[in-house]
Short mmCIF file of all heavy atoms in Angstrom, two decimals:
data_model
loop_
_atom_site.label_atom_id
_atom_site.label_comp_id
_atom_site.label_asym_id
_atom_site.label_seq_id
_atom_site.Cartn_x
_atom_site.Cartn_y
_atom_site.Cartn_z
N ILE A 158 64.97 98.83 86.59
CA ILE A 158 65.63 98.66 85.28
C ILE A 158 65.89 97.18 85.15
O ILE A 158 66.54 96.59 86.02
CB ILE A 158 67.00 99.37 85.24
CG1 ILE A 158 66.86 100.83 85.61
CG2 ILE A 158 67.68 99.17 83.91
CD1 ILE A 158 66.61 101.74 84.48
N SER A 159 65.41 96.55 84.07
CA SER A 159 65.74 95.15 83.94
C SER A 159 65.67 94.65 82.51
O SER A 159 65.06 95.28 81.64
CB SER A 159 64.84 94.29 84.84
OG SER A 159 63.52 94.33 84.38
N LEU A 160 66.33 93.53 82.30
CA LEU A 160 66.24 92.77 81.06
C LEU A 160 65.53 91.48 81.41
O LEU A 160 65.70 90.95 82.50
CB LEU A 160 67.63 92.45 80.53
CG LEU A 160 68.53 93.63 80.17
CD1 LEU A 160 69.94 93.12 79.84
CD2 LEU A 160 67.95 94.41 79.00
N THR A 161 64.75 90.97 80.46
CA THR A 161 64.03 89.73 80.74
C THR A 161 63.90 88.91 79.48
O THR A 161 63.96 89.46 78.37
CB THR A 161 62.62 90.02 81.30
OG1 THR A 161 61.97 88.77 81.55
CG2 THR A 161 61.78 90.81 80.32
N HIS A 162 63.74 87.60 79.65
CA HIS A 162 63.45 86.74 78.51
C HIS A 162 61.98 86.32 78.52
O HIS A 162 61.56 85.51 77.71
CB HIS A 162 64.35 85.50 78.52
CG HIS A 162 65.74 85.78 78.01
ND1 HIS A 162 66.73 86.32 78.77
CD2 HIS A 162 66.28 85.60 76.77
CE1 HIS A 162 67.82 86.46 78.06
NE2 HIS A 162 67.59 86.04 76.83
N SER A 163 61.21 86.91 79.45
CA SER A 163 59.79 86.57 79.59
C SER A 163 58.91 87.72 79.12
O SER A 163 59.39 88.85 79.01
CB SER A 163 59.48 86.28 81.06
OG SER A 163 60.32 85.27 81.54
N ILE A 165 56.68 90.87 79.17
CA ILE A 165 56.81 91.99 80.11
C ILE A 165 55.47 92.29 80.78
O ILE A 165 54.46 92.48 80.11
CB ILE A 165 57.31 93.25 79.36
CG1 ILE A 165 58.72 93.00 78.79
CG2 ILE A 165 57.30 94.46 80.28
CD1 ILE A 165 59.24 94.12 77.91
N TYR A 203 65.91 89.31 69.61
CA TYR A 203 66.63 90.37 70.31
C TYR A 203 67.80 89.78 71.07
O TYR A 203 67.67 88.80 71.79
CB TYR A 203 65.70 91.08 71.30
CG TYR A 203 64.81 92.12 70.68
CD1 TYR A 203 63.55 91.79 70.18
CD2 TYR A 203 65.23 93.44 70.59
CE1 TYR A 203 62.73 92.76 69.62
CE2 TYR A 203 64.42 94.42 70.02
CZ TYR A 203 63.18 94.08 69.55
OH TYR A 203 62.37 95.04 68.98
N GLU A 204 68.96 90.42 70.91
CA GLU A 204 70.19 90.00 71.59
C GLU A 204 70.72 91.21 72.36
O GLU A 204 70.57 92.35 71.91
CB GLU A 204 71.22 89.57 70.53
CG GLU A 204 72.59 89.21 71.04
CD GLU A 204 73.50 88.75 69.90
OE1 GLU A 204 72.97 88.28 68.86
OE2 GLU A 204 74.72 88.86 70.04
N MET A 214 71.06 101.75 80.62
CA MET A 214 69.69 102.10 81.01
C MET A 214 69.70 102.86 82.34
O MET A 214 68.91 103.80 82.52
CB MET A 214 68.83 100.83 81.08
CG MET A 214 68.59 100.23 79.70
SD MET A 214 67.27 98.99 79.61
CE MET A 214 67.96 97.67 80.58
N ILE A 232 62.17 100.78 83.38
CA ILE A 232 62.48 100.36 82.00
C ILE A 232 62.70 98.86 82.01
O ILE A 232 63.53 98.35 82.77
CB ILE A 232 63.76 101.03 81.47
CG1 ILE A 232 63.71 102.55 81.61
CG2 ILE A 232 64.00 100.62 80.01
CD1 ILE A 232 65.02 103.23 81.24
N VAL A 233 61.97 98.14 81.17
CA VAL A 233 62.18 96.70 81.02
C VAL A 233 62.32 96.39 79.54
O VAL A 233 61.46 96.78 78.74
CB VAL A 233 61.01 95.87 81.59
CG1 VAL A 233 61.30 94.37 81.44
CG2 VAL A 233 60.75 96.23 83.05
N HIS A 234 63.40 95.72 79.16
CA HIS A 234 63.59 95.31 77.77
C HIS A 234 63.63 93.80 77.71
O HIS A 234 64.27 93.15 78.53
CB HIS A 234 64.88 95.89 77.20
CG HIS A 234 64.88 95.98 75.70
ND1 HIS A 234 64.70 94.89 74.88
CD2 HIS A 234 65.02 97.05 74.87
CE1 HIS A 234 64.73 95.28 73.61
NE2 HIS A 234 64.93 96.59 73.59
N ARG A 235 62.92 93.25 76.75
CA ARG A 235 62.87 91.80 76.60
C ARG A 235 63.89 91.34 75.56
O ARG A 235 64.14 92.05 74.58
CB ARG A 235 61.46 91.39 76.17
CG ARG A 235 61.25 89.88 76.14
CD ARG A 235 59.79 89.56 75.89
NE ARG A 235 59.65 88.13 75.58
CZ ARG A 235 58.53 87.58 75.13
NH1 ARG A 235 57.45 88.34 74.95
NH2 ARG A 235 58.49 86.30 74.88
N LEU A 236 64.46 90.17 75.78
CA LEU A 236 65.41 89.57 74.84
C LEU A 236 64.89 88.21 74.41
O LEU A 236 64.01 87.64 75.05
CB LEU A 236 66.78 89.41 75.50
CG LEU A 236 67.44 90.69 76.01
CD1 LEU A 236 68.75 90.35 76.74
CD2 LEU A 236 67.70 91.67 74.88
N LEU A 239 60.77 87.09 69.69
CA LEU A 239 59.48 87.73 69.89
C LEU A 239 58.58 87.58 68.67
O LEU A 239 59.05 87.69 67.54
CB LEU A 239 59.67 89.23 70.18
CG LEU A 239 59.88 89.62 71.65
CD1 LEU A 239 61.17 89.04 72.20
CD2 LEU A 239 59.88 91.13 71.81
N ILE A 244 55.60 92.57 73.17
CA ILE A 244 56.18 93.80 73.69
C ILE A 244 57.68 93.61 73.88
O ILE A 244 58.11 92.74 74.63
CB ILE A 244 55.53 94.18 75.03
CG1 ILE A 244 54.03 94.43 74.83
CG2 ILE A 244 56.21 95.41 75.64
CD1 ILE A 244 53.24 94.43 76.12
N SER A 245 58.46 94.42 73.18
CA SER A 245 59.92 94.31 73.29
C SER A 245 60.47 95.18 74.41
O SER A 245 61.46 94.84 75.04
CB SER A 245 60.59 94.70 71.97
OG SER A 245 60.17 95.99 71.57
N VAL A 246 59.83 96.31 74.63
CA VAL A 246 60.33 97.22 75.66
C VAL A 246 59.16 97.98 76.29
O VAL A 246 58.20 98.31 75.60
CB VAL A 246 61.37 98.20 75.08
CG1 VAL A 246 60.77 99.07 73.99
CG2 VAL A 246 61.98 99.08 76.17
N ALA A 247 59.25 98.19 77.58
CA ALA A 247 58.25 98.99 78.29
C ALA A 247 58.97 100.02 79.13
O ALA A 247 59.96 99.71 79.80
CB ALA A 247 57.38 98.11 79.18
N ILE A 266 62.88 106.52 75.47
CA ILE A 266 62.85 105.55 74.38
C ILE A 266 63.75 106.00 73.23
O ILE A 266 64.45 105.19 72.64
CB ILE A 266 61.41 105.24 73.88
CG1 ILE A 266 61.46 104.17 72.79
CG2 ILE A 266 60.67 106.46 73.43
CD1 ILE A 266 62.08 102.83 73.24
N LEU A 269 67.28 105.28 74.39
CA LEU A 269 67.51 103.83 74.51
C LEU A 269 67.85 103.25 73.14
O LEU A 269 68.77 102.43 72.99
CB LEU A 269 66.27 103.15 75.10
CG LEU A 269 66.34 101.63 75.32
CD1 LEU A 269 65.45 101.23 76.50
CD2 LEU A 269 65.95 100.84 74.10
N VAL A 273 71.68 101.93 73.95
CA VAL A 273 71.71 100.70 74.75
C VAL A 273 72.12 99.52 73.86
O VAL A 273 71.52 99.30 72.81
CB VAL A 273 70.34 100.45 75.40
CG1 VAL A 273 70.32 99.10 76.12
CG2 VAL A 273 70.01 101.58 76.39
N ILE A 275 71.68 96.60 72.57
CA ILE A 275 70.71 95.54 72.27
C ILE A 275 70.52 95.61 70.76
O ILE A 275 70.53 96.70 70.18
CB ILE A 275 69.37 95.79 73.00
CG1 ILE A 275 69.57 95.61 74.51
CG2 ILE A 275 68.29 94.81 72.50
CD1 ILE A 275 68.35 95.99 75.34
N TRP A 276 70.35 94.45 70.11
CA TRP A 276 70.19 94.40 68.66
C TRP A 276 69.01 93.51 68.31
O TRP A 276 68.76 92.50 68.98
CB TRP A 276 71.44 93.82 67.98
CG TRP A 276 72.66 94.57 68.34
CD1 TRP A 276 73.23 95.60 67.66
CD2 TRP A 276 73.46 94.37 69.52
NE1 TRP A 276 74.33 96.07 68.34
CE2 TRP A 276 74.50 95.33 69.47
CE3 TRP A 276 73.40 93.49 70.60
CZ2 TRP A 276 75.48 95.44 70.46
CZ3 TRP A 276 74.36 93.59 71.60
CH2 TRP A 276 75.38 94.55 71.52
N LYS A 277 68.32 93.87 67.21
CA LYS A 277 67.24 93.02 66.75
C LYS A 277 67.59 92.45 65.37
O LYS A 277 68.27 93.09 64.56
CB LYS A 277 65.91 93.77 66.71
CG LYS A 277 65.84 94.97 65.79
CD LYS A 277 64.40 95.42 65.58
CE LYS A 277 63.82 96.27 66.67
NZ LYS A 277 64.25 97.67 66.68
N SER B 239 70.26 98.39 67.93
CA SER B 239 68.89 98.46 67.40
C SER B 239 67.90 97.91 68.39
O SER B 239 67.02 97.11 68.04
CB SER B 239 68.80 97.72 66.06
OG SER B 239 69.25 96.38 66.17
N GLY B 240 68.03 98.31 69.63
CA GLY B 240 67.07 97.88 70.64
C GLY B 240 65.78 98.68 70.53
O GLY B 240 65.63 99.55 69.68
N GLY B 241 64.86 98.36 71.42
CA GLY B 241 63.59 99.08 71.44
C GLY B 241 62.58 98.48 70.49
O GLY B 241 62.84 97.47 69.84
#
Side-chain angles (χ1 to χ4, degrees):
Chain A
I158 305 271
S159 68
L160 299 172
T161 180
H162 281 82
S163 304
I165 296 174
Y203 279 90
E204 176 178 336
M214 291 194 293
I232 306 174
V233 182
H234 203 301
R235 186 172 168 190
L236 301 176
L239 272 65
I244 299 164
S245 55
V246 61
I266 183 60
L269 181 151
V273 174
I275 292 173
W276 305 266
K277 61 166 81 77
Chain B
S239 55

